[in-house]
Amino acid sequence: MSKERILKNIFVKGAIGAAFVGESIQKHSAQTSIGAHSIFLGQVRADLMDEKKVSAIEYTSYEPMALEKMHEIRAFIFAKYELTCMHVYHSLGKVNAGEISLFVFTSSAHRRAAIEACSETVELIKKELPVWGKEIFEDSSHQWKTNT
Amino acid sequence: MSKERILKNIFVKGAIGAAFVGESIQKHSAQTSIGAHSIFLGQVRADLMDEKKVSAIEYTSYEPMALEKMHEIRAFIFAKYELTCMHVYHSLGKVNAGEISLFVFTSSAHRRAAIEACSETVELIKKELPVWGKEIFEDSSHQWKTNT
Amino acid sequence: MTTTVLLFGQLQEITSKHELQVNEMADTHTLLAELSRMYPAIATAKYMIAVDKQIISGNTKLKDGSTVALLPPFSGG
Amino acid sequence: MTTTVLLFGQLQEITSKHELQVNEMADTHTLLAELSRMYPAIATAKYMIAVDKQIISGNTKLKDGSTVALLPPFSGG
């Protein structure tokens, strides 16, 4: 079995639905040791640049490397914080303005671990995951997104 | 018109449903200046104390004062962070273990404002809102919750 | 003059009262002394005091119709 | 020996290639010189290099069958 095959997938095709987020929360109601959930959602902005508006972002990734990197991030975060669980989903392909492209969900007995783990995971994803966003304008021209 | 009447209500009877969280997220898809949502959910833990398990928390509040205080917290957070919007819901009455009793939802163009505003709002709610949780054990005895 | 006293959480449990009216209380110290006489458990309880929804510290004069709330440590969320 | 080169984001756009095979490249410096000759725009582009999914810095020896990925600045989320 190759190493990749056992890595948890985080990629989903297209936007992440709000209802999916609701269902993910619902699944945790049986875990009664959880006291706090922290959720981050990245939503595609209709930014205006030189009078052109972003209508969507198209995401691509170097998937095998991204999944290995996410595995490392997950191990690091679980070692650092007392978490019950962590779920990460990132879109690939086209996500329209107003839709969700990143969903990070951490749970813990206590709020500080959940909140800090979520926040740090988001930073590491933005910084370390080989994912690229191509901002597509309403006139079909594009530019490459940059993270800050 | 009394002052209370114009204050935004945050209290809901019983648990906050996961589907309601999903619907709240969905409502923001038309606001395409939003780039980041941060959500905190407080879930009732089935803590074990002296071999007795918490089955629910029953919440009460000094509501008029809590709504005034929440109004102040909201004004403070909006002055401090570049937020698009903030939504807060807190349960009153009985919430069973595994159910959600607090929902704080902040949105911003950029992640740091959303994340920090959410985290600080949760701290202020825990510290400053006149709300009390009575932990009810499976044998119907109870004790008063303390926040850390 | 009349003062409304509101009791919450443990204090409501101790006194079996959520609300009571007391007369001729000039300030919060006088009021708390009277409440502690009526309900000795209040004397040893931990709470903050709000007069007309504002947390106060130290002795505070009361007006006719004031609402004084005794607030045990908050435990929302 | 053969090396697989993967190009992403802007680099994929510049070269119109996602993947290419090159032969007899002993190390990453040699490989990058060759790629810059084939695609001059690579010489001025900003990217990191991963050899077999590990980010490297400095010149790195290549084995037969290595995969070298040229990664423009990440912009996920």
Side-chain angles (χ1 to χ4, degrees):
Chain A
M1 199 159 89
S2 78
K3 198 176 167 193
E4 282 86 53
R5 228 177 292 167
I6 60 161
L7 292 175
K8 209 167 170 177
N9 187 28
I10 63 165
F11 292 112
V12 296
K13 196 169 157 14
I16 295 158
F20 176 78
V21 177
E23 287 154 23
S24 301
I25 296 165
Q26 184 57 48
K27 281 182 187 159
H28 291 75
S29 64
Q31 285 177 260
T32 55
S33 64
I34 294 174
H37 301 292
S38 185
I39 292 172
F40 177 84
L41 302 171
Q43 183 168 303
V44 173
R45 280 195 317 273
D47 276 354
L48 209 63
M49 284 178 246
D50 301 331
E51 309 203 349
K52 295 198 294 187
K53 201 190 258 185
V54 171
S55 66
I57 295 181
E58 200 175 300
Y59 290 98
T60 51
S61 173
Y62 181 14
E63 288 183 59
M65 181 177 161
L67 297 184
E68 277 191 18
K69 193 41 111 172
M70 191 62 229
H71 186 78
E72 285 173 34
I73 293 173
R74 192 184 297 271
F76 170 77
I77 292 291
F78 268 91
K80 185 165 174 183
Y81 300 101
E82 283 276 342
L83 287 192
T84 312
C85 51
M86 173 199 277
H87 306 279
V88 173
Y89 301 93
H90 196 299
S91 295
L92 289 184
K94 197 173 161 190
V95 180
N96 292 319
E99 292 182 325
I100 291 162
S101 60
L102 174 62
F103 172 23
V104 178
F105 185 2
T106 54
S107 306
S108 175
H110 300 285
R111 69 186 179 280
R112 287 182 194 97
I115 290 171
E116 286 167 25
C118 185
S119 167
E120 189 162 348
T121 301
V122 171
E123 293 306 315
L124 291 173
I125 285 170
K126 295 252 180 189
K127 197 169 154 239
E128 301 192 351
L129 279 204
V131 174
W132 298 275
K134 188 164 84 170
E135 291 169 323
I136 300 166
F137 297 103
E138 284 171 337
D139 66 359
S140 298
S141 64
H142 71 264
Q143 73 171 24
W144 292 90
K145 182 173 176 274
T146 53
N147 278 355
T148 50
Chain B
M1 199 156 90
S2 78
K3 198 179 169 193
E4 281 88 56
R5 229 177 291 168
I6 59 161
L7 292 176
K8 208 167 170 177
N9 187 30
I10 62 165
F11 291 112
V12 295
K13 196 168 156 15
I16 296 158
F20 176 78
V21 176
E23 288 154 21
S24 301
I25 295 165
Q26 184 56 48
K27 281 183 187 159
H28 291 75
S29 64
Q31 285 178 258
T32 55
S33 64
I34 293 175
H37 301 292
S38 185
I39 292 173
F40 177 85
L41 302 170
Q43 182 167 305
V44 173
R45 281 196 315 272
D47 276 353
L48 207 64
M49 286 179 244
D50 301 331
E51 307 201 352
K52 295 197 295 186
K53 201 189 258 188
V54 172
S55 66
I57 296 181
E58 198 175 301
Y59 290 98
T60 51
S61 172
Y62 181 14
E63 288 184 59
M65 181 177 159
L67 297 185
E68 277 191 16
K69 193 42 110 174
M70 192 62 229
H71 186 78
E72 286 172 34
I73 292 171
R74 192 183 298 271
F76 170 77
I77 293 290
F78 268 92
K80 186 165 173 183
Y81 300 102
E82 284 277 343
L83 287 191
T84 312
C85 51
M86 173 199 278
H87 306 280
V88 173
Y89 301 92
H90 197 299
S91 295
L92 289 183
K94 195 173 163 190
V95 180
N96 292 320
E99 292 182 326
I100 292 162
S101 60
L102 174 61
F103 172 22
V104 177
F105 185 2
T106 54
S107 306
S108 175
H110 301 285
R111 67 186 180 281
R112 289 185 191 94
I115 290 170
E116 286 168 25
C118 184
S119 167
E120 189 162 349
T121 300
V122 170
E123 293 305 314
L124 291 172
I125 285 170
K126 295 253 179 188
K127 195 167 156 239
E128 301 192 351
L129 279 204
V131 174
W132 299 275
K134 189 164 84 170
E135 291 169 323
I136 299 167
F137 297 103
E138 284 172 337
D139 65 0
S140 297
S141 64
H142 72 265
Q143 74 172 22
W144 291 90
K145 181 173 176 276
T146 51
N147 278 356
T148 49
Chain C
M1 63 179 264
T2 303
T3 306
T4 301
V5 178
L6 299 177
L7 300 156
F8 294 92
Q10 300 91 310
L11 293 174
Q12 186 176 333
E13 195 171 54
I14 286 167
T15 60
S16 299
K17 288 245 191 298
H18 170 52
E19 182 173 340
L20 51 110
Q21 311 286 332
V22 286
N23 293 319
E24 308 306 329
M25 295 292 156
D27 52 43
T28 52
H29 278 190
T30 314
L31 171 64
L32 293 176
E34 175 61 14
L35 287 173
S36 295
R37 194 190 59 74
M38 292 165 71
Y39 304 100
I42 285 182
T44 54
K46 201 181 158 199
Y47 56 85
M48 289 195 292
I49 301 156
V51 176
D52 295 327
K53 294 176 275 172
Q54 296 299 316
I55 302 277
I56 56 133
S57 58
N59 195 15
T60 300
K61 288 219 175 305
L62 296 172
K63 291 175 295 187
D64 185 34
S66 284
T67 297
V68 176
L70 271 53
L71 312 169
F74 304 155
S75 54
Chain D
M1 63 180 263
T2 301
T3 307
T4 301
V5 177
L6 300 177
L7 299 157
F8 294 94
Q10 302 92 308
L11 293 174
Q12 186 175 338
E13 197 171 55
I14 287 169
T15 60
S16 299
K17 287 247 192 298
H18 171 50
E19 183 173 338
L20 51 111
Q21 311 286 333
V22 284
N23 294 318
E24 308 307 330
M25 296 292 155
D27 53 43
T28 52
H29 278 190
T30 313
L31 171 64
L32 293 176
E34 173 62 13
L35 288 173
S36 295
R37 195 190 59 75
M38 292 165 69
Y39 303 102
I42 285 181
T44 56
K46 202 182 158 195
Y47 55 85
M48 290 193 294
I49 301 156
V51 175
D52 295 327
K53 296 176 273 169
Q54 296 299 316
I55 302 276
I56 56 132
S57 59
N59 195 16
T60 300
K61 288 219 176 304
L62 296 173
K63 291 176 296 189
D64 185 35
S66 284
T67 297
V68 176
L70 269 53
L71 312 169
F74 304 154
S75 55

